[in-house]
Amino acid sequence: MRWWIPLTVICLVSPVALSAPSDEEVQAALETGLVTQFGGQLSQAKDKASSKATGMVMQAMDLLGVPYKRGGSSESSGFDCSGFVRHLYEKSVGQLLPRRAEEQARSTEVIEREELKPGDLVFFNTMRRAFSHVGMYVGDGKFIHAPRAGKSVKIEDMRSAYWQKRFNGARRLPLDSEPTKP
């Protein structure tokens, strides 16, 4: 079932597509059940995102449903929140982020919530300490993350009461810089 998510995203946001889908095409896909609500949101976000960020969001969507694993950093073993973000940046744009969420926050550029674009990092206080949880912004107030034990990678709305109360800030890693590998 996971194969249709990247296919849908590629069709909607691919920079190599001959033309962007019309509103009617997006609506028809939504009505036939071929696209989830997030496909429409990604379609709206495609004009705002760089091609690197778009690729990263597409790869993140392909990881929906991968189970949470404390300390996990791969699709085969599962992810924790910072391992998920680190994996996305390394595989999508070749930039290696630190391993822990708080280190990722310190190593990236602070941005305002209103400046968020797909591919930016969003941080939350979920363990009574700042920057204890991280996810990747996908657009329209939503983010994708590896939530906790017993759950799997999923998309959530930052505007829900739970996430609003715990929001610590947004960060950006310039995607036009050279890849950094250890």
Side-chain angles (χ1 to χ4, degrees):
M1 179 163 163
R2 287 185 12 204
W3 64 268
W4 64 270
I5 294 170
L7 180 62
T8 301
V9 172
I10 289 169
C11 292
L12 291 175
V13 299
S14 176
V16 297
L18 296 177
S19 65
S22 69
D23 290 340
E24 294 81 20
E25 291 169 326
V26 171
Q27 187 60 37
L30 287 168
E31 289 172 0
T32 60
L34 297 175
V35 179
T36 67
Q37 62 180 343
F38 302 113
Q41 293 164 359
L42 284 174
S43 178
Q44 294 171 356
K46 74 180 187 296
D47 296 330
K48 299 177 187 173
S50 71
S51 61
K52 287 183 180 181
T54 301
M56 196 166 14
V57 170
M58 289 177 3
Q59 183 168 357
M61 294 296 189
D62 190 37
L63 298 173
L64 285 168
V66 172
Y68 178 93
K69 180 180 182 192
R70 183 175 168 85
S73 60
S74 72
E75 184 175 1
S76 60
S77 66
F79 295 106
D80 65 9
C81 66
S82 59
F84 174 69
V85 167
R86 186 175 200 229
H87 174 84
L88 287 173
Y89 269 83
E90 183 177 9
K91 298 296 181 192
S92 298
V93 296
Q95 293 194 349
L96 191 60
L97 291 175
R99 181 62 182 91
R100 299 183 61 204
E102 61 196 26
E103 295 166 342
Q104 291 174 355
R106 283 195 305 262
S107 69
T108 50
E109 174 186 324
V110 176
I111 60 170
E112 296 299 319
R113 189 176 187 149
E114 300 77 32
E115 298 175 56
L116 276 169
K117 294 181 182 175
D120 289 338
L121 302 181
V122 288
F123 292 88
F124 303 91
N125 176 344
T126 59
M127 302 174 94
R128 296 186 179 161
R129 70 177 194 278
F131 309 112
S132 55
H133 188 72
V134 62
M136 188 182 76
Y137 187 72
V138 296
D140 193 36
K142 308 273 193 304
F143 73 107
I144 188 168
H145 67 131
R148 66 179 187 271
K151 300 290 183 179
S152 57
V153 173
K154 65 189 225 174
I155 296 174
E156 295 202 58
D157 196 320
M158 292 175 48
R159 298 165 292 201
S160 75
Y162 179 87
W163 294 112
Q164 276 190 13
K165 181 178 178 183
R166 290 163 176 79
F167 183 73
N168 273 142
R171 303 288 191 270
R172 180 171 294 151
L173 183 68
L175 296 179
D176 52 358
S177 60
E178 288 297 312
T180 56
K181 294 272 183 173

